[in-house]
Amino acid sequence: MTLTDAATIPTARTIRTALPGPRSLELQARRTSAVASGVSKGFPVFIERAAGAIVVDVDGNALLDLGSGIAVTSIGHAVPEVTDAIVDQAGRFVHTCFMVTPYESYVAVCEALNERAPVEGPARSALFNSGAEAVENAVKIARHATGKAGVAVFDHAYHGRTNLTMALTAKSMPYKHGFGPFAPEVYRVPMSYPYRDGLSGPEAAARAISVLESQIGATNLAAVLIEPIQGEGGFIVPAPGFLGALAAWCRANDVVFIADEIQSGFCRTGDWFALNAEGVTADLVTTAKGIAGGMPLAAVTGRAALMEAVHEGGLGGTYGGNPVAAAAAVASIAYMAEHDLAGRARHIGAQLLSTLSGLADELQGIGEVRGRGAMVAIELVEPGTTTPMPNAAKAVAQACNAEGVLVLTCGTYGNVLRLLPPLVITDEQLADGLGVLSGALRKVLG
Ligand code: PLZ
């Protein structure tokens, strides 16, 4: 058995070769002839092992991870408690299909979710494999429970790459371009984007609700689906009061309010879920990513009455709630609670915001620094305007990557740098990453 021995992994960034190094380049050449080119290339350093916030590549470079995959390894890489849970479960059994013969870890994940998800009253959960699959199932449940078809989603939304979730996602290139026709009965509504619309939460909600009422009508609407803090669309934090007003409108109109917490959930924003910050609850909540320390697992958690509306056999799938993934989730959730990773996220956020706000004052071209907890973004714009600068964002990310700091971009306009470090990142590692990022921003914007 080759378990990652955390002791063999440096705790600081250590770069030995140009990045990508020679062995990564060899693997990249093999990849080019073997892997479909439609799969994004990201930064082509091939990873061999990882621990905490450090990933080690095949050339022996130790890189600092400020993306956690894409918001997945919030508890860090190779957490012994989670690795042990995975190994132990793999040694006992890897699959039975929960719908055929059940096992405890599936139930335990649902109990943990029901206890913590921002849902009022008794809750029930069902488990799936990917975020997109969870979103599809949330829509199925909402339609079944209400007998209505329409689903309202927001500008800049991202909900996945399957046919229904492509329809729910806003951005065409690369997610939807050439892949239609898309699922029907999906309606797009204006988001609250304080930096660009200058509206208060209640004003932005009134604008969205007026579109819901005039262009769809509550009697045709099964669900309003929203990311409480948008992820791929640009880490857009709606103005305070926006989410609460939408939730209240949904409740008054027999419309299911679905919070997609796939990117924002599990301590990332400094609470268990992003909705917690405003005390808002949802009828259904979708989760994935951070739930299982990197194993593929997703869930829908919702008010019991809604979840129980679906007939037996209406929800499921061969692999949903796989025993190894479920064991990893039980261990990951316990780890988050025990180590107060929500508190860590707030601590990381305070450091990120103070350094980056200082840079925003110093440099031309930083339109806004925003975010909550360890979900922080920098939106780059032409100085003195709000015109997006996607090339600058790309250049900053590339400059960081070249120094062994993994930084991701996002945004409808591609002009947002996003920081999603593992919540176990040390203060020294974070300071190192911020130093590299600051240098890259100065170089590109200065
Ligand atoms: N909902 C809010 O962030 C996944 C996408 C990466 P899956 N975001 C990362 C890419 O380019 O494919 C995401 C999300 C929100 C749903 C999803 C979809 O989750 O597990 O990728 O299907």
Side-chain angles (χ1 to χ4, degrees), residues 108-392:
V109 176
C110 294
E111 287 168 347
L113 286 165
N114 297 346
E115 189 186 314
R116 293 182 172 85
V119 167
E120 234 167 83
R124 298 283 186 276
S125 295
L127 304 184
F128 305 97
N129 301 294
S130 67
E133 204 189 339
V135 173
E136 292 249 359
N137 278 279
V139 171
K140 279 168 65 173
I141 294 162
R143 284 180 170 157
H144 196 288
T146 60
K148 300 188 277 185
V151 181
V153 287
F154 290 80
D155 288 329
H156 315 288
Y158 183 91
H159 298 292
R161 293 176 181 268
T162 58
N163 187 264
L164 173 59
T165 59
M166 272 194 294
L168 301 169
T169 289
K171 190 173 177 176
S172 175
M173 185 58 97
Y175 307 122
K176 305 166 76 164
H177 178 74
F179 297 138
F182 302 113
E185 286 302 319
V186 173
Y187 301 89
R188 198 157 306 279
V189 174
M191 178 64 183
S192 165
Y193 193 162
Y195 172 62
R196 291 188 177 274
D197 65 24
L199 299 178
S200 70
E203 286 165 350
R207 178 178 66 174
I209 288 166
S210 136
V211 173
L212 293 173
E213 289 180 340
S214 63
Q215 297 184 24
I216 316 162
T219 50
N220 303 307
L221 194 57
V224 168
L225 165 63
I226 190 163
E227 298 154 85
I229 295 180
Q230 288 182 320
E232 305 303 308
F235 278 28
I236 300 164
V237 187
F242 179 72
L243 295 168
L246 285 176
W249 182 86
C250 286
R251 212 147 289 152
N253 288 281
D254 183 33
V255 173
V256 177
F257 184 62
I258 309 175
D260 179 345
E261 292 257 17
I262 286 166
Q263 190 151 165
S264 56
F266 291 106
C267 301
R268 174 55 54 191
T269 63
D271 283 296
W272 277 102
F273 294 96
L275 278 187
N276 296 143
E278 290 191 68
V280 175
T281 57
D283 297 307
L284 299 176
V285 179
T286 56
T287 51
K289 290 189 182 283
I291 189 174
M295 293 296 283
L297 190 76
V300 180
T301 302
R303 286 197 294 110
L306 263 179
M307 296 293 289
E308 306 290 41
V310 178
H311 51 278
E312 183 179 341
L315 303 175
T318 302
Y319 294 114
N322 167 273
V324 182
V330 171
S332 299
I333 294 169
Y335 188 90
M336 288 180 225
E338 194 177 318
H339 296 266
D340 185 24
L341 291 194
R344 275 296 300 169
R346 293 192 292 274
H347 171 77
I348 292 166
Q351 293 186 59
L352 290 175
L353 289 179
S354 88
T355 304
L356 297 175
S357 309
L359 276 175
D361 293 339
E362 173 195 326
L363 295 171
Q364 298 277 305
I366 298 183
E368 188 178 44
V369 172
R370 61 173 172 259
R372 191 185 298 149
M375 184 170 183
V376 168
I378 310 166
E379 176 155 3
L380 301 185
V381 293
E382 310 265 2
T385 73
T386 57
T387 308
M389 286 205 297
N391 292 338

Side-chain angles (χ1 to χ4, degrees), residues 378-418:
I378 310 166
E379 176 155 3
L380 301 185
V381 293
E382 310 265 2
T385 73
T386 57
T387 308
M389 286 205 297
N391 292 338
K394 210 170 159 188
V396 173
Q398 280 171 350
C400 291
N401 292 348
E403 291 195 51
V405 176
L406 301 178
V407 170
L408 306 173
T409 60
C410 66
T412 297
Y413 316 112
N415 65 325
V416 178
L417 292 153
R418 59 169 150 173

Side-chain angles (χ1 to χ4, degrees), residues 64 351 355 425-438:
L64 180 63
Q351 293 186 59
T355 304
I425 192 169
T426 64
D427 288 352
E428 295 73 27
Q429 290 167 339
L430 189 59
D432 174 45
L434 274 172
V436 170
L437 175 63
S438 305

